[in-house]
Amino acid sequence: MKVGYLGPVATFTHTAAVSAFPHDEAVAYASIPDCIMAIEKGRVDVAVVPIENTIEGTVNVTLDYLFHQSSVPIVAEIVVPIAQHVMVHPNNSNTWQSVQKVMSHPQAIAQCHTFLQTELYGVERETTPSTAYAAEWVSKHPNELIAAIAPYMAAETYGLTIVQENAQDIELNQTRFVVLSRHPVTIALPDREEEKTSVSVILPNNMPGALHKVLATFAWRNIDMSKIESRPLKTSLGEYFFLIDLLSDGEAQLVQNALEEIALLGGTTRELGTYHVYRLPVKVK
């Protein structure tokens, strides 16, 4: 089985993918859209992509592609406790505070905002497709004073020196990853937790209190919502779709009834998947 992930080797997505599917072939992609379109076009059997971080919230590009581009359901969620480290080429380990640029994925840079403001204030920040991409780039340019923010594994993989550990703003930093597949999968992680159902909702037009009425379909059935998020429909200004995560264990029929009620109200719904949540048992350095 081929498992697509946001690469290259040593991203947090890579860790999630190989932890969940240790005996399958991991295939790296340069961006989240590339990874999602690979599963959409059948080039891989499974795709693993990040969807939310404790500090920075939703990974918008993932949410948008799941709604606008992908028809492949979510079949699992993996929660990974993570730490972000600042690393440089060994040639520059003694002069790292004089770096001229910091490179990383935009989520990682944002997660380390306080450190960058206090320790590397004014230093240029350049976003990259992934954390490991930044680490790999730094490893190939030993004569440039550039730092990367990336996982511990990236430092090991690309021969870099960590000059600041745990640079993220808070200690308990976690990222949720969704697993996409057209077929049932077996996750090689021991901690299987609650069942969720993710649905997208487009509200009925010109109905006063539309969002309230939609949410009430879940509330009066005692269906617990773990998250609600809005994103632009990309049709015209002020039009949105909502992604709602429901705790659906034992509530499958009630969820279906709620979605039918939303349809009767004039709303449009789509199930993005019903799945279980898994957690990596230890913190990923």
Side-chain angles (χ1 to χ4, degrees):
M1 189 169 70
K2 291 184 177 181
V3 180
Y5 69 94
L6 174 62
V9 169
T11 61
F12 289 113
T13 315
H14 176 243
T15 296
V18 298
S19 298
F21 305 100
H23 306 299
D24 296 299
E25 179 185 354
V27 182
Y29 286 91
S31 69
I32 291 171
D34 286 350
C35 192
I36 293 176
M37 294 314 294
I39 182 78
E40 187 68 23
K41 294 178 182 295
R43 294 171 183 163
V44 294
D45 304 292
V46 176
V48 181
V49 290
I51 195 167
E52 184 181 21
N53 174 259
T54 303
I55 300 172
E56 274 305 293
T58 300
V59 182
N60 289 331
V61 66
T62 299
L63 201 59
D64 287 349
Y65 263 76
L66 290 180
F67 179 81
H68 292 287
Q69 305 290 337
S70 178
S71 61
V72 182
I74 302 171
V75 294
E77 176 184 307
I78 304 169
V79 180
V80 180
I82 64 174
Q84 302 286 6
H85 308 301
V86 181
M87 54 195 69
V88 298
H89 193 277
N91 292 357
N92 302 320
S93 59
N94 294 326
T95 57
W96 73 269
Q97 289 179 313
S98 300
V99 295
Q100 299 168 350
K101 184 187 295 184
V102 177
M103 302 174 65
S104 194
H105 187 274
Q107 281 266 336
I109 289 175
Q111 289 167 33
C112 300
H113 173 77
T114 300
F115 171 81
L116 293 174
Q117 286 294 100
T118 56
E119 300 296 331
L120 295 174
Y121 179 77
V123 174
E124 180 184 355
R125 302 169 193 178
E126 181 176 319
T127 61
T128 58
S130 70
T131 52
Y133 178 98
E136 184 179 34
W137 198 96
V138 169
S139 73
K140 293 178 178 178
H141 297 80
N143 297 322
E144 298 193 39
L145 279 172
I146 296 178
I149 298 174
Y152 183 87
M153 186 188 298
E156 289 188 328
T157 301
Y158 300 109
L160 302 182
T161 300
I162 293 175
V163 294
Q164 175 64 50
E165 295 185 337
N166 298 310
Q168 69 274 3
D169 287 354
I170 63 172
E171 176 65 22
L172 185 58
N173 189 21
Q174 297 178 315
T175 296
R176 295 169 55 216
F177 298 86
V178 289
V179 179
L180 309 175
S181 180
R182 289 189 171 89
H183 310 286
V185 298
T186 300
I187 305 294
L189 292 170
D191 296 333
R192 173 169 145 160
E193 299 183 359
E194 71 266 19
E195 180 189 272
K196 287 184 179 179
T197 296
S198 292
V199 298
S200 65
V201 178
I202 302 174
L203 300 180
N205 289 330
N206 302 318
M207 177 186 288
L211 179 58
H212 169 76
K213 292 173 182 177
V214 165
L215 298 183
T217 66
F218 303 117
W220 77 262
R221 291 180 172 87
N222 292 317
I223 301 171
D224 192 8
M225 292 187 298
S226 63
K227 182 181 179 181
I228 179 170
E229 180 96 8
S230 65
R231 289 290 298 156
L233 261 177
K234 300 184 178 181
T235 50
S236 63
L237 192 63
E239 294 187 347
Y240 300 88
F241 72 90
F242 292 82
L243 178 74
I244 302 174
D245 288 346
L246 307 166
L247 300 185
S248 58
D249 206 354
E251 309 287 357
Q253 187 58 57
L254 289 177
V255 169
Q256 290 302 315
N257 293 344
L259 298 182
E260 290 172 6
E261 184 177 343
I262 293 171
L264 291 173
L265 290 170
T268 303
T269 66
R270 178 163 71 96
E271 291 187 62
L272 302 183
T274 296
Y275 51 91
H276 283 93
V277 178
Y278 300 80
R279 295 179 187 271
L280 262 67
V282 295
K283 186 172 184 177
V284 179
K285 292 182 177 182

